[in-house]
Amino acid sequence: MSRILDVAAVHFNVSERGDQGREEAFRQFREAEERLDGTGVDLLVTCEGMSSLSQSVAEAESIHHPGELLTLYRSFALRNRCTVAGSVKLREGESVFNALVFIAPDGSIPGWYAKTFPTPRELERGIMPGPGGVVTETPAGRLGGVICYDLNFDSLAEEYRKLKPDILCFSSMFHGDHLQKSWAYRARAFFVGAVKDACSSVIDPLGREVAESCYYNRIARARINLDRFILHQDRNLEKFPLIRRKYRKDVLIETSSRLGVSILYSCTPERTAREIAEEFELIELDDLLTSSAEAAAEKRTAGSRR
């Protein structure tokens, strides 16, 4: 069944002088609020600049004792009945984490992600590393967190491939360039990145940008469909006309020809993308890759015995 969401990432403008602080962080968020309030956004992702410029380690907030940042995010979530992935320095016991806290439309906190790979400077300042990839169930889907320096580590990307998030929420003080698209494809997930450098963006599971911010508008916003089935064209391509003839506008099949990979979306409340795929015996991308690797290994083993 189609699961349509309006997602938004708020870009952060940072002075080269590095002289901005708490008031500027809050000013930029309130400016974004004015544009987003009442517009039907379902998921908002904030930039790491919100916490890095407005909080020291000593000023970290906690889930049970929220400060100004968590209160700000919660107010937005409640007012707009949406989910917020909010950047904050979070205290848990004696430890302080660079975190993304997921706040639900009712103001509750179903989960949070702690940066797995803090920078050397963060570690020196007292930021603790988190345990690794985390997926949180929210009304905006299964959300995974990625923060800044994390994007450099393949081990975390592989964790998220296994965790199968719907959306990776990326909060960062650097852009990451082509790594963003690589992570979206490797996790088979949408990627909503709120950053300070270049553009904030929304990327689909094939690694294609579907929205980006710009000088005139600091909000990257897109409407996405979480009900998807990702498949290789091999063993599947010849069935696409049959699917389109039967379901017409109730399905959408999009393809990255350079990757040789497609996404089938359900555009109807009557059936899921997976149900349509099973009806036509389509093979999911990861299943095809796994079976191909196993078949190659068997051939290799058999050949070595001769």
Side-chain angles (χ1 to χ4, degrees):
M1 303 176 186
S2 58
R3 295 181 61 198
I4 307 298
L5 292 181
D6 272 27
V7 299
V10 178
H11 194 74
F12 204 87
N13 290 331
V14 177
S15 165
E16 291 182 2
R17 297 184 299 276
D19 56 359
Q20 295 162 302
R22 190 180 192 85
E23 289 306 313
E24 176 61 15
F26 277 73
R27 186 197 69 77
Q28 289 195 32
F29 187 83
R30 291 190 176 106
E31 181 183 75
E33 281 185 312
E34 291 179 5
R35 295 193 175 205
L36 289 166
D37 273 344
T39 64
V41 65
D42 297 300
L43 172 66
L44 175 68
V45 180
T46 71
C47 177
E48 186 188 24
M50 288 298 297
S51 59
S52 66
L53 291 183
S54 67
Q55 288 179 305
S56 66
V57 171
E59 294 169 325
E61 304 179 20
S62 74
I63 300 296
H64 301 295
H65 296 92
E68 286 188 86
L69 272 183
L70 288 179
T71 299
L72 187 71
Y73 300 147
R74 185 174 185 271
S75 295
F76 184 88
L78 285 168
R79 196 166 61 248
N80 288 278
R81 304 300 297 170
C82 72
T83 301
V84 174
S87 171
V88 66
K89 287 186 176 69
L90 191 69
R91 184 178 298 281
E92 283 286 306
E94 298 299 316
S95 299
V96 174
F97 301 95
N98 183 346
L100 265 181
V101 173
F102 301 115
I103 304 173
D106 63 0
S108 64
I109 295 177
W112 53 280
Y113 167 76
K115 188 174 185 178
T116 305
F117 297 102
T119 64
R121 185 173 296 179
E122 284 181 300
L123 294 171
E124 291 168 4
R125 291 175 177 172
I127 295 294
M128 288 292 292
V134 173
V135 168
T136 299
E137 295 280 357
T138 77
R142 290 168 50 80
L143 305 184
V146 186
I147 300 177
C148 200
Y149 202 53
D150 281 340
L151 209 65
N152 294 293
F153 295 90
D154 291 344
S155 59
L156 185 59
E158 287 304 308
E159 278 190 60
Y160 275 120
R161 174 177 288 197
K162 295 172 184 175
L163 289 170
K164 300 183 183 299
D166 289 316
I167 301 172
L168 288 175
C169 300
F170 179 55
S171 178
S172 182
M173 289 292 277
F174 96 119
H175 185 273
D177 196 52
H178 62 86
L179 292 175
Q180 290 194 12
K181 297 178 180 180
S182 174
W183 272 62
Y185 176 65
R186 290 170 70 175
R188 320 298 190 221
F190 289 93
F191 187 103
V192 182
V195 305
K196 79 168 181 69
D197 293 328
C199 298
S200 293
S201 58
V202 180
I203 299 170
D204 79 0
L206 297 185
R208 304 177 301 176
E209 273 191 348
V210 296
E212 66 177 9
S213 62
C214 66
Y215 176 82
Y216 301 102
N217 180 18
R218 289 194 303 108
I219 301 169
R221 183 165 180 172
R223 184 166 294 176
I224 63 175
N225 185 355
L226 300 186
D227 188 7
R228 65 206 185 279
F229 186 90
I230 301 173
L231 59 158
H232 200 280
Q233 292 186 52
D234 190 26
R235 306 291 180 91
N236 294 305
L237 182 62
E238 65 276 8
K239 299 175 184 177
F240 290 177
L242 302 175
I243 298 169
R244 289 182 170 122
R245 287 189 187 106
K246 179 170 182 178
Y247 288 109
R248 296 180 176 267
K249 296 186 185 301
D250 284 348
V251 298
L252 175 65
I253 302 173
E254 295 188 340
T255 297
S256 170
S257 297
R258 295 181 182 183
L259 281 176
V261 175
S262 300
I263 308 180
L264 184 153
Y265 293 103
S266 170
C267 302
T268 173
E270 296 176 2
R271 58 190 59 83
T272 67
R274 184 167 294 277
E275 288 170 345
I276 295 170
E278 289 174 352
E279 176 185 349
F280 287 88
E281 299 182 332
L282 301 178
I283 305 170
E284 196 163 18
L285 174 61
D286 287 327
D287 289 342
L288 178 65
L289 296 179
T290 298
S291 63
S292 297
E294 290 172 349
E298 287 176 10
K299 282 282 188 181
R300 198 175 297 116
T301 301
S304 67
R305 290 172 180 163
R306 292 174 185 169

